[in-house]
Amino acid sequence: MNDTHISLAHGGGGELTRLLLSERVIPKLSNPLLDPLGDSAVLPQPDGRVCMTTDAFVVQPLEFPGGDIGRLAVCGTVNDLAMAGARPTALSLAIVVEEGLEMSVFDRMIDSIAAAADEAGVPIATGDTKVIERGRGDGMIITTAGIGTLRDGVNLDAGRIVPGDVVIVTGLIAEHGLAVMSARKGLAFETELLSDVAPLVGLAGDVFSSGADVKFMRDPTRGGVSGVLVDLAEQTKLSLDIDERALPISAVAQSTADMLGLDPMTVANEGKAVIVVAEAEAEAALRACRANPLGTKAAIVGKFTDATPPLVELITRPGGRRMVTRPYGEELPRIC
Amino acid sequence: MNDTHISLAHGGGGELTRLLLSERVIPKLSNPLLDPLGDSAVLPQPDGRVCMTTDAFVVQPLEFPGGDIGRLAVCGTVNDLAMAGARPTALSLAIVVEEGLEMSVFDRMIDSIAAAADEAGVPIATGDTKVIERGRGDGMIITTAGIGTLRDGVNLDAGRIVPGDVVIVTGLIAEHGLAVMSARKGLAFETELLSDVAPLVGLAGDVFSSGADVKFMRDPTRGGVSGVLVDLAEQTKLSLDIDERALPISAVAQSTADMLGLDPMTVANEGKAVIVVAEAEAEAALRACRANPLGTKAAIVGKFTDATPPLVELITRPGGRRMVTRPYGEELPRIC
C-alpha cells in the first residue's frame, strides 16, 4: 500500500480499511488478544474485581517534546488503572483520523502506541478506526479504555484519610503541560522541558508493596496538583497544608510557568502521582518512590489537618499563606 | 448553570468541567458504578471470561431519523459484545465536543445515551469529556468501550462452519445507512425510512437459548451484509450461495438504494445480525429470532457450499448469479 496520506476510504470498513489495519497497525500491535481481529477480544476470567477507565486524547500538537498523542493515550489510561490499585490487563484503542493526515505521522503514532503499551506491559486487545473529512478533525483523536484487576490488600478510600496523613508528590511537576505549550503554534518558545508522560504501573506497584497504608493515589493531569488537592479537601472535609518549598519543580519549569503567567500547581502532569499515606509509613512510601526511576525526585509536600473550614493552603516560600483553588476553566487547553 | 453553548472551559478539568458533569451528565446516567466518579470504576469479579470491545462514532448529522449519535454509541458497542456471545456488564463513555455546540443538543445526546443504556440493561461505568476548538470538531464524537462476560456453552468459531450450514439475517437490511443519508446536508431527501439502531442483547440471548448450534454472529455495520459474508468466505475458505429473493428488504429501502445507486447489501445496519447455524437447527434459530420484537422479519438467506474457489454468490431475482464483493472504500461515509 503506497498511500502517502489518509483518505476517507481508509475508514469505510471496506477493503482499504482492512489493508490499513492489516499492513500498518496489526503487525505493530500484535498480541494474542488482538490478532483474531473480531469485533471483541476475549480475555481470561480475571482473578479479582475489575477496574475500568477511559480517556479521550485531543492534544495539540500531536507530537511534542518528550512524547506524542500515541504515548499519551496509552499512559493516560494505564495510569488511571495504576492509580486505582489495579494491574492493567488490556487496553482498547479507538482512533479518529482526519482525511489528509500524512501516513508517516499515522505510522509514527502507531509505533509510539506499540512502544508505550510494551513499556507498560499491557496488550492492545481491540480497536476501531474512523476517518473524518479534511478540516473536520484536527489530525487525530485517540480514545483508549482500559481494564485491570484490583491488587489484593489495596484499600484506596479518601474516606479513610485523617489529620496527620501525609501527601507525597512523586516528582517534578508541570512539565507535561509546559512542554506541550512550548510546541504550540503561535506560542512556540525555546525550552529544554520534556513531557513527563510515562506509565506509572511499576511505581504504583512499588508503593503498594512498600507496606505503607496507602489511602489515595491519583495522577494530577488536567487541573494539575491543585485540582487533586482541592478534590481531596472536599471529599475528606479536612484541610491541607502544602509547603511550597517542598514541591518538586525544576527551575526551568518554574521560570517557564512564570513567563506564561501560570501557576505550575494547575498545570497537567502525565507521569506523576499524588499519594496520601498514613504518617507512620510516609518515609517507607517515599523510599519506595525514590527507588523507582520515575520517582527519584519524590517529596513529602504537606499534610492533612483538622482546621475548619476545609481548605488547601500553600505555605509560600516567603512564609505567607495562600489558598489553593481548583482552576475554573481552561488555563491550558488541549494538553491531553 | 445557564450556559447555552459548550465552551472550551467545559473541557478544562476545572470547576466548569465539574459543573457540566455534576449537573448535566451524572444525574442522568447515575448508577452505583459511575456515581463514585473516580478516574476508574470498580466492578465485581466476572463470572467467566471477559469480552472487551470499542467503537468510535463520527456519524453526521448527529441526529437522524430513528436515532442519534448517543443511541448509536451505546448500541454499537453493546451489539459487538452481544454478537460475541457476551452479556454486557459495563460501558465506558468518552465524549469529544466541539466548542459552540448548543447545550440543548448536548443534553439530548446525554438523554439518548441514558435511554439506550437503560434499554440495553447496561450501566455507563466511567467516562471522560473533552472540548476542542470551534471548527475543529464536527459537533460531537463519542467513543464507547464495553466489557461483558461470555455466556456458558457458546462456541462461536467460524472455523467450525461446514458446507450446509445456514445463514440467517435477522431483519430488514440497509435502513440505518439510508436513513442517515436521507438527513445529510446536500443530499436530504424525503423518506419514511428510520435507522434500525437498537441493542441486540435480548435477540442474541434468545438465539443462544434456542438450542441451535450457533457458529457465528455479527452485526453488519460498516460494509453491510456483503462485508460480513465476504469475511466469512475468506475465513472459512468455503463458498456462500445467497438468495436475493430471501433477503429481507423493504420496498422503500430497495428503491432508495436504487435511487442513490447503492447496493443495499453494502449499506450499514445497526440493529441486525448475520447468524450462521448448523442446518439441522436452522428452523429453531429462525423461530427464536422471529419471536423477538427485533427479529420478526428474520429470514434464512443462504448456505455454505464447498464450491471452489471460495466465493460469495448472489442468486439474483431473475435467477442469474453475481459475485458479492467487499466494498472497496467508502460508499457511505460517516454513517456510524
Side-chain angles (χ1 to χ4, degrees), chain A residues 227-300:
Chain A
V228 174
L229 297 179
V230 172
D231 277 358
L232 273 172
E234 286 181 1
Q235 283 179 53
T236 59
K237 300 186 171 55
L238 296 172
S239 286
L240 266 161
D241 277 354
I242 303 296
D243 181 358
E244 188 175 28
R245 288 169 309 177
L247 264 179
I249 182 165
S250 70
V252 180
Q254 183 69 61
S255 64
T256 305
D258 289 347
M259 180 184 82
L260 295 171
L262 293 170
D263 174 357
M265 287 181 69
T266 65
V267 176
N269 311 273
E270 293 289 347
K272 299 296 167 344
V274 173
I275 301 173
V276 179
V277 290
E279 190 172 17
E281 296 123 8
E283 289 297 331
L286 186 64
R287 275 195 303 275
C289 289
R290 289 187 172 165
N292 184 290
L294 294 176
T296 54
K297 308 271 191 198
I300 291 172

XYZ file of all heavy atoms in Angstrom, chain A residues 227-300:
526
model
N -5.826 20.725 41.379
C -7.123 20.083 41.187
C -7.293 18.875 42.088
O -8.348 18.674 42.701
N -6.232 18.073 42.199
C -6.304 16.874 43.043
C -6.441 17.260 44.513
O -7.260 16.687 45.247
C -5.053 15.987 42.834
C -5.050 14.824 43.812
C -4.997 15.476 41.393
N -5.663 18.253 44.947
C -5.687 18.623 46.367
C -7.037 19.222 46.762
O -7.563 18.927 47.845
C -4.548 19.609 46.670
C -3.124 19.060 46.449
C -2.090 20.143 46.768
C -2.860 17.799 47.268
N -7.615 20.036 45.894
C -8.919 20.630 46.206
C -9.988 19.530 46.271
O -10.832 19.526 47.169
C -9.280 21.722 45.176
C -10.716 22.208 45.376
C -8.303 22.890 45.284
N -9.930 18.587 45.331
C -10.845 17.432 45.391
C -10.723 16.724 46.739
O -11.724 16.343 47.352
C -10.506 16.405 44.296
C -11.125 16.756 42.950
O -11.847 17.761 42.871
O -10.870 16.014 41.983
N -9.476 16.541 47.179
C -9.233 15.819 48.430
C -9.836 16.561 49.626
O -10.450 15.944 50.505
C -7.729 15.629 48.641
C -7.140 14.388 47.988
C -5.618 14.407 48.093
C -7.703 13.109 48.638
N -9.645 17.882 49.656
C -10.201 18.661 50.777
C -11.721 18.549 50.784
O -12.345 18.389 51.846
C -9.755 20.118 50.672
N -12.325 18.599 49.580
C -13.791 18.499 49.509
C -14.282 17.135 49.968
O -15.271 17.024 50.694
C -14.267 18.751 48.073
C -14.181 20.223 47.682
C -14.680 20.468 46.267
O -15.102 19.509 45.589
O -14.634 21.636 45.841
N -13.581 16.086 49.507
C -14.028 14.736 49.840
C -13.838 14.401 51.307
O -14.665 13.732 51.917
C -13.261 13.697 49.004
C -13.720 13.583 47.571
C -12.877 12.561 46.827
O -12.725 11.414 47.252
N -12.306 12.974 45.716
N -12.695 14.852 51.874
C -12.373 14.452 53.245
C -12.950 15.424 54.268
O -13.012 15.107 55.457
C -10.850 14.425 53.463
O -10.330 15.741 53.206
C -10.180 13.425 52.532
N -13.349 16.635 53.803
C -13.749 17.720 54.695
C -12.632 18.051 55.697
O -12.882 18.514 56.808
C -15.067 17.406 55.407
C -16.205 17.190 54.392
C -17.548 17.015 55.067
C -18.682 17.013 54.065
N -18.518 15.998 52.972
N -11.388 17.802 55.278
C -10.220 18.178 56.076
C -9.447 19.262 55.316
O -9.663 19.465 54.128
C -9.300 16.969 56.285
C -9.892 15.807 57.090
C -8.946 14.605 57.063
C -10.162 16.243 58.545
N -8.552 19.932 56.033
C -7.701 20.923 55.383
C -6.351 20.318 55.035
O -5.977 19.250 55.529
C -7.508 22.132 56.299
O -8.678 22.909 56.327
N -5.651 21.033 54.157
C -4.339 20.571 53.739
C -3.362 21.730 53.832
O -3.659 22.830 53.344
C -4.405 20.113 52.281
C -4.653 18.633 52.037
C -5.160 18.406 50.623
C -3.350 17.858 52.256
N -2.223 21.491 54.479
C -1.129 22.460 54.459
C -0.073 21.948 53.493
O 0.483 20.848 53.702
C -0.496 22.578 55.858
C -1.279 23.534 56.752
O -2.232 24.171 56.245
O -0.942 23.615 57.941
N 0.194 22.712 52.459
C 1.179 22.312 51.453
C 2.369 23.270 51.543
O 2.188 24.497 51.578
C 0.565 22.359 50.039
C -0.680 21.449 49.965
C 1.596 21.964 48.979
C -0.415 19.984 50.172
N 3.558 22.720 51.567
C 4.778 23.511 51.713
C 5.364 23.781 50.328
O 5.895 22.878 49.684
C 5.772 22.729 52.581
C 7.065 23.507 52.799
O 7.197 24.621 52.241
O 7.938 22.984 53.522
N 5.255 25.021 49.883
C 5.734 25.349 48.532
C 7.208 24.981 48.355
O 7.618 24.538 47.283
C 5.533 26.848 48.238
C 5.825 27.210 46.793
C 5.515 28.674 46.472
O 5.590 29.524 47.380
O 5.193 28.956 45.310
N 8.015 25.137 49.418
C 9.451 24.829 49.303
C 9.693 23.347 49.041
O 10.707 22.955 48.485
C 10.203 25.248 50.578
C 10.351 26.751 50.730
C 10.839 27.097 52.113
N 10.000 26.433 53.131
C 10.190 26.478 54.437
N 11.218 27.149 54.922
N 9.369 25.859 55.264
N 8.752 22.524 49.459
C 8.940 21.079 49.294
C 8.456 20.568 47.940
O 8.794 19.464 47.533
C 8.201 20.339 50.415
N 7.652 21.377 47.249
C 7.076 20.926 45.964
C 8.183 20.713 44.934
O 8.936 21.651 44.636
C 6.129 21.984 45.417
C 4.636 21.851 45.686
C 3.919 23.039 45.047
C 4.075 20.540 45.160
N 8.275 19.524 44.362
C 9.342 19.297 43.380
C 9.032 20.021 42.071
O 8.040 19.724 41.414
C 9.313 17.772 43.164
C 8.325 17.210 44.153
C 7.440 18.329 44.582
N 9.846 20.990 41.743
C 9.690 21.684 40.461
C 11.060 22.158 40.012
O 11.866 22.608 40.835
C 8.685 22.865 40.553
C 8.524 23.535 39.177
C 9.060 23.854 41.631
C 7.315 24.450 39.070
N 11.335 22.020 38.732
C 12.646 22.445 38.231
C 12.647 23.954 38.062
O 11.591 24.580 37.892
C 12.938 21.779 36.885
O 12.100 22.314 35.883
N 13.842 24.533 38.076
C 13.966 25.980 37.868
C 13.420 26.357 36.494
O 12.767 27.399 36.332
C 15.435 26.392 38.006
N 13.651 25.491 35.502
C 13.169 25.790 34.145
C 11.644 25.812 34.114
O 11.031 26.704 33.516
C 13.687 24.731 33.138
C 13.179 25.047 31.743
C 15.200 24.673 33.150
N 11.021 24.817 34.753
C 9.560 24.775 34.750
C 8.994 25.988 35.488
O 8.025 26.606 35.039
C 9.064 23.476 35.381
N 9.606 26.335 36.618
C 9.116 27.483 37.382
C 9.210 28.762 36.556
O 8.252 29.532 36.471
C 9.924 27.629 38.682
C 9.439 28.749 39.589
C 8.066 28.461 40.200
O 7.896 27.483 40.924
N 7.070 29.306 39.890
N 10.354 28.955 35.893
C 10.514 30.207 35.148
C 9.619 30.205 33.911
O 9.090 31.255 33.521
C 11.984 30.442 34.781
O 12.433 29.431 33.913
N 9.414 29.031 33.308
C 8.516 28.957 32.143
C 7.083 29.284 32.557
O 6.373 30.033 31.877
C 8.582 27.554 31.507
O 9.944 27.247 31.204
C 7.755 27.498 30.235
N 6.671 28.710 33.678
C 5.321 28.994 34.166
C 5.176 30.476 34.494
O 4.171 31.106 34.141
C 5.020 28.136 35.394
N 6.206 31.041 35.128
C 6.166 32.471 35.460
C 6.013 33.304 34.191
O 5.195 34.220 34.124
C 7.448 32.890 36.196
C 7.504 32.318 37.616
O 6.453 31.831 38.094
O 8.587 32.348 38.226
N 6.796 32.918 33.161
C 6.761 33.648 31.894
C 5.360 33.616 31.284
O 4.886 34.587 30.705
C 7.765 33.000 30.939
C 7.852 33.631 29.580
S 9.000 32.681 28.518
C 7.942 31.354 27.941
N 4.686 32.454 31.399
C 3.353 32.302 30.807
C 2.255 32.790 31.744
O 1.074 32.760 31.393
C 3.101 30.827 30.452
C 4.002 30.219 29.371
C 3.798 28.711 29.291
C 3.707 30.856 28.008
N 2.633 33.208 32.936
C 1.634 33.663 33.892
C 0.788 32.534 34.449
O -0.379 32.722 34.771
N 1.379 31.347 34.547
C 0.634 30.178 35.021
C 1.101 29.750 36.398
O 2.288 29.873 36.728
C 0.853 28.999 34.063
C 0.272 29.142 32.662
C 0.790 28.014 31.779
C -1.249 29.133 32.731
N 0.179 29.235 37.191
C 0.531 28.603 38.455
C 0.901 27.150 38.149
O 0.047 26.383 37.698
C -0.688 28.662 39.384
C -0.463 27.903 40.677
O 0.612 27.271 40.847
O -1.375 27.937 41.523
N 2.150 26.752 38.371
C 2.550 25.393 37.974
C 1.749 24.303 38.678
O 1.659 23.179 38.179
C 4.044 25.328 38.339
C 4.294 26.488 39.243
C 3.261 27.532 38.929
N 1.148 24.643 39.815
C 0.337 23.633 40.502
C -0.947 23.307 39.739
O -1.612 22.318 40.028
C -0.015 24.093 41.923
C 1.177 24.025 42.869
S 0.709 24.556 44.540
C -0.372 23.226 45.064
N -1.318 24.150 38.772
C -2.538 23.873 37.995
C -2.215 23.271 36.628
O -3.111 23.047 35.826
C -3.355 25.161 37.762
O -2.581 26.049 36.936
C -3.693 25.854 39.065
N -0.908 23.057 36.348
C -0.509 22.572 35.025
C -0.466 21.035 35.027
O -0.033 20.419 35.995
C 0.862 23.173 34.632
C 1.334 22.609 33.292
C 0.780 24.697 34.577
N -0.895 20.439 33.916
C -1.036 18.980 33.838
C 0.301 18.245 33.863
O 1.301 18.692 33.296
C -1.779 18.604 32.565
N 0.278 17.099 34.526
C 1.379 16.142 34.540
C 0.850 14.845 33.933
O -0.336 14.546 34.046
C 1.818 15.862 35.979
C 2.025 17.148 36.751
O 3.092 17.731 36.729
N 0.968 17.620 37.419
N 1.726 14.036 33.331
C 1.276 12.759 32.771
C 2.170 11.599 33.199
O 2.072 10.509 32.635
C 1.188 12.841 31.244
C 0.089 13.778 30.742
C -1.339 13.256 30.953
O -1.505 12.052 31.261
O -2.281 14.067 30.810
N 3.022 11.861 34.217
C 3.873 10.773 34.701
C 4.163 10.937 36.188
O 5.212 10.526 36.674
N 3.219 11.557 36.882
C 3.392 11.801 38.313
C 2.157 11.346 39.070
O 1.069 11.259 38.498
C 3.622 13.304 38.581
C 4.870 13.876 37.916
C 6.126 13.260 38.454
C 7.410 13.513 37.680
N 7.366 14.007 36.349
N 2.345 11.081 40.370
C 1.221 10.710 41.223
C 1.201 11.575 42.468
O 2.259 11.989 42.966
C 1.320 9.239 41.627
N -0.009 11.865 42.943
C -0.204 12.442 44.272
C -0.679 11.296 45.156
O -1.650 10.613 44.817
C -1.261 13.567 44.244
C -1.573 14.037 45.660
C -0.782 14.723 43.376
N 0.050 11.053 46.257
C -0.211 9.885 47.093
C -0.476 10.343 48.526
O 0.228 11.223 49.030
C 1.010 8.926 47.064
C 1.301 8.488 45.623
C 0.780 7.714 47.967
C 2.600 7.680 45.471
N -1.485 9.761 49.152
C -1.725 10.041 50.573
C -1.476 8.760 51.363
O -2.036 7.702 51.039
C -3.166 10.525 50.832
C -3.380 10.784 52.321
C -3.458 11.783 50.013
N -0.602 8.861 52.384
C -0.288 7.706 53.230
C -0.368 8.112 54.698
O -0.242 9.290 55.044
C 1.138 7.150 52.963
C 1.212 6.485 51.598
C 2.183 8.244 53.070
N -0.559 7.106 55.530
C -0.540 7.348 56.969
C 0.841 7.878 57.355
O 1.860 7.479 56.786
C -0.849 6.052 57.720
N 0.840 8.804 58.352
C 2.081 9.485 58.732
C 3.187 8.494 59.094
O 4.343 8.652 58.698
C 1.791 10.413 59.924
C 2.928 11.343 60.257
C 2.520 12.378 61.321
O 1.486 12.158 61.995
O 3.231 13.389 61.469
N 2.830 7.440 59.821
C 3.838 6.492 60.326
C 4.622 5.834 59.200
O 5.779 5.455 59.378
C 3.156 5.422 61.183
N 3.979 5.680 58.042
C 4.646 4.959 56.948
C 5.054 5.873 55.804
O 5.395 5.400 54.715
C 3.723 3.856 56.428
C 3.435 2.790 57.472
C 1.949 2.630 57.726
O 1.161 3.237 56.972
O 1.598 1.905 58.670
N 5.009 7.185 56.056
C 5.292 8.118 54.968
C 6.707 7.929 54.432
O 6.935 7.966 53.218
C 5.089 9.554 55.448
N 7.657 7.721 55.331
C 9.051 7.572 54.878
C 9.229 6.312 54.054
O 9.969 6.294 53.065
C 10.011 7.592 56.074
C 10.156 8.964 56.738
C 10.769 10.028 55.802
O 11.555 9.657 54.911
O 10.419 11.219 55.972
N 8.550 5.229 54.452
C 8.641 3.981 53.689
C 8.083 4.175 52.283
O 8.673 3.715 51.288
C 7.879 2.863 54.418
N 6.956 4.863 52.190
C 6.361 5.112 50.874
C 7.275 6.000 50.039
O 7.466 5.765 48.841
C 4.984 5.756 51.036
N 7.859 7.014 50.679
C 8.768 7.921 49.964
C 9.989 7.164 49.443
O 10.410 7.357 48.299
C 9.203 9.050 50.904
C 10.043 10.162 50.276
C 9.244 10.922 49.223
C 10.558 11.132 51.348
N 10.534 6.277 50.290
C 11.693 5.485 49.841
C 11.325 4.619 48.640
O 12.098 4.483 47.693
C 12.200 4.595 50.982
C 13.175 5.282 51.931
C 13.925 4.272 52.800
N 13.012 3.425 53.576
C 12.490 3.757 54.764
N 12.787 4.928 55.320
N 11.677 2.922 55.395
N 10.125 4.011 48.671
C 9.690 3.172 47.554
C 9.599 3.997 46.271
O 10.025 3.553 45.200
C 8.333 2.539 47.874
N 9.076 5.205 46.397
C 9.010 6.081 45.212
C 10.400 6.366 44.679
O 10.674 6.229 43.488
C 8.353 7.418 45.561
S 6.601 7.328 45.873
N 11.273 6.781 45.595
C 12.593 7.251 45.144
C 13.440 6.128 44.563
O 14.361 6.379 43.781
C 13.332 7.921 46.309
C 12.704 9.271 46.660
C 13.538 10.006 47.683
N 13.048 11.378 47.873
C 13.382 12.158 48.885
N 14.220 11.720 49.818
N 12.901 13.383 48.968
N 13.136 4.901 44.953
C 13.899 3.760 44.421
C 13.462 3.425 42.995
O 14.132 2.664 42.297
C 13.728 2.539 45.326
N 12.335 3.986 42.551
C 11.860 3.739 41.183
C 12.385 4.852 40.276
O 12.375 6.025 40.657
C 10.323 3.726 41.175
C 9.764 3.368 39.811
O 9.857 4.134 38.865
N 9.187 2.185 39.718
N 12.828 4.499 39.069
C 13.394 5.520 38.172
C 12.430 6.674 37.891
O 12.865 7.792 37.614
C 13.680 4.746 36.877
C 13.723 3.303 37.260
C 12.875 3.140 38.486
N 11.127 6.429 37.995
C 10.165 7.503 37.717
C 9.831 8.330 38.963
O 9.032 9.253 38.888
C 8.877 6.923 37.123
C 9.016 6.292 35.734
C 7.702 5.659 35.297
C 9.472 7.334 34.709
N 10.462 7.970 40.113
C 10.108 8.667 41.348
C 11.296 9.224 42.105
O 11.178 9.550 43.300
N 12.432 9.396 41.439
C 13.657 9.788 42.147
C 13.531 11.149 42.834
O 14.221 11.412 43.812
C 14.872 9.831 41.196
O 14.546 10.685 40.092
C 15.200 8.444 40.664
N 12.672 12.019 42.319
C 12.519 13.349 42.907
C 11.288 13.436 43.805
O 10.797 14.549 44.092
C 12.385 14.408 41.805
C 13.460 14.374 40.753
C 14.639 15.227 41.140
C 15.576 15.392 39.936
N 16.911 15.842 40.328
N 10.754 12.319 44.204
C 9.548 12.330 45.048
C 9.804 13.106 46.329
O 10.927 13.152 46.841
C 9.131 10.896 45.376
N 8.751 13.726 46.851
C 8.892 14.511 48.079
C 7.586 14.507 48.863
O 6.503 14.397 48.290
C 9.272 15.949 47.728
N 7.736 14.610 50.172
C 6.579 14.856 51.028
C 6.285 16.351 50.946
O 7.163 17.178 51.219
C 6.883 14.427 52.479
C 6.999 12.893 52.532
C 5.812 14.944 53.436
C 7.483 12.348 53.862
